[in-house]
């Protein structure tokens, strides 16, 4: 943790100190003084140390964009950890903004801008978020569609009164079956993907916007397809498939269960 302190603390910048605190630079000394080093605390400390190493390397590569990523990451953690909801969402319209935040919109913004060396000005930040909304709606709904079975079963085991998932919200909002809710979800995903593609194409032509904003809006399209492939194949959502099956999957084989998605390969 000392390396991160040396990297940021000398800057004497309040925002840097706040971010450093958010990433837990003071966790270990405080925990040691209070004498509560147990398994849970140690796991938290380990996670913070890993985060600090990642941040240190990013700042060494590109300090300004690394700082932007840190701010986005720390805000994402704060938003997710502070969100507590005792009642279910009544509609998909009410649910989606919260789900998009949980899906990592802020964190992904930081990673994409860092990896692509993009800078989004404060003046364009709100527009950037607005242009990315169709893509993020598609991303969030895609994740919910493929994670539904796992989350439904987990909620049932825990005796939870509702499931934080778009399928559950759609079933209750429209009084429809699970299979019908999945179909509605697919339709909405397609609608948002189409809108995201149009938005990116239109944004490309708006030369009055910064080059970085136009590049970022297009980059999010690749996140949609990447998220889809990951959701189809990740063992987390396909628990019934063994690791061997995932490692030796035949090209072009449909392994998406009842989601009716087929991955084609070029001949």
């Amino acid at each position: 943790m000392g390396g991160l302190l040396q990297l940021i603390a000398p800057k004497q910048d309040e925002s840097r100190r706040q971010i450093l605190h958010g990433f837990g630079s003071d966790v270990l000394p405080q925990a040691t003084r209070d004498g509560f080093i147990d398994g849970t605390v140690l796991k938290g400390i380990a996670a913070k140390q890993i985060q600090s190493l990642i941040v240190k390397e990013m700042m060494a590569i590109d300090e300004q964009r690394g700082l932007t990523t840190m701010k986005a990451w720390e805000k994402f953690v704060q938003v997710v950890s502070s969100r507590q909801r005792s009642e279910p969402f009544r509609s998909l319209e009410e649910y989606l903004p919260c789900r998009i935040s949980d899906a990592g919109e802020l964190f992904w913004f930081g990673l994409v801008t860092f990896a692509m060396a993009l800078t989004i000005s404060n003046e364009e930040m709100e527009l950037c978020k607005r242009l990315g909304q169709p893509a993020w709606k598609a991303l969030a709904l895609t994740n919910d569609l493929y994670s539904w079975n796992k989350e439904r079963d987990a909620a049932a085991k825990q005796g939870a009164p509702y499931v934080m998932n778009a399928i559950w919200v759609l079933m209750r909002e429209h009084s429809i079956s699970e299979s019908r809710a999945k179909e509605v979800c697919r339709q909405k995903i397609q609608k948002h993907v189409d809108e995201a593609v149009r938005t990116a194409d239109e944004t490309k032509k708006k030369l009055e916007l910064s080059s970085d904003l136009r590049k970022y809006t297009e980059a999010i399209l690749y996140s949609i397809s990447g998220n889809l492939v990951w959701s189809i194949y990740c063992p987390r959502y396909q628990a019934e498939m063994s690791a061997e099956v995932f490692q030796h999957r035949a090209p072009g084989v449909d392994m998406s269960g009842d989601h009716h998605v087929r991955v084609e390969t070029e001949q």
Side-chain angles (χ1 to χ4, degrees), residues 57-71:
E57 290 192 24
M58 293 177 73
M59 295 282 283
I61 294 169
D62 185 334
E63 181 177 351
Q64 189 55 48
R65 294 187 179 95
L67 183 59
T68 296
T69 303
M70 286 176 64
K71 289 179 179 178

Side-chain angles (χ1 to χ4, degrees), residues 149-164 168:
N149 290 346
K150 178 181 175 64
E151 292 177 359
R152 175 201 61 201
D153 295 346
K157 286 181 182 179
Q158 296 169 4
Y162 61 91
V163 187
M164 286 287 288
W168 192 95

Side-chain angles (χ1 to χ4, degrees), residues 38 43 79 100 107 150 190-191 198 202 206 209:
D38 57 19
K43 285 181 180 179
V79 169
I100 288 172
F107 181 49
K150 178 181 175 64
Q190 186 61 63
K191 172 188 171 185
R198 285 197 307 272
E202 292 170 359
K206 296 181 178 179
L209 301 178

Side-chain angles (χ1 to χ4, degrees), residues 17-60:
R17 285 196 295 271
Q18 289 175 354
I19 292 170
L20 185 61
H21 175 75
F23 277 90
S25 64
D26 56 346
V27 170
L28 184 56
Q30 184 62 45
T32 303
R33 286 196 302 271
D34 293 349
F36 59 87
I37 296 291
D38 57 19
T40 301
V41 173
L42 285 174
K43 285 181 180 179
I45 292 170
K48 296 293 185 182
Q49 289 178 329
I50 292 171
Q51 287 175 327
S52 74
L53 290 173
I54 293 171
V55 168
K56 180 181 177 182
E57 290 192 24
M58 293 177 73
M59 295 282 283

Side-chain angles (χ1 to χ4, degrees), residues 128-172:
C128 178
K129 185 173 182 177
R130 191 162 66 249
L131 292 173
Q133 283 300 289
W136 274 104
K137 288 177 181 178
L139 280 159
L141 290 174
T142 297
N143 186 264
D144 276 12
L145 178 63
Y146 285 93
S147 66
W148 163 251
N149 290 346
K150 178 181 175 64
E151 292 177 359
R152 175 201 61 201
D153 295 346
K157 286 181 182 179
Q158 296 169 4
Y162 61 91
V163 187
M164 286 287 288
N165 187 291
I167 305 301
W168 192 95
V169 174
L170 286 167
M171 289 170 65
R172 296 305 182 275

Side-chain angles (χ1 to χ4, degrees), residues 85 87-95 168-170 172-174:
R85 189 175 181 86
E87 296 181 359
F89 290 94
R90 294 169 294 181
S91 68
L92 193 66
E93 182 180 3
E94 180 186 19
Y95 169 76
W168 192 95
V169 174
L170 286 167
R172 296 305 182 275
E173 181 181 5
H174 301 290

Side-chain angles (χ1 to χ4, degrees), residues 192-208:
H192 293 312
V193 169
D194 290 344
E195 186 180 353
V197 172
R198 285 197 307 272
T199 298
D201 287 344
E202 292 170 359
T203 303
K204 264 195 232 180
K205 302 171 185 176
K206 296 181 178 179
L207 300 182
E208 69 274 16

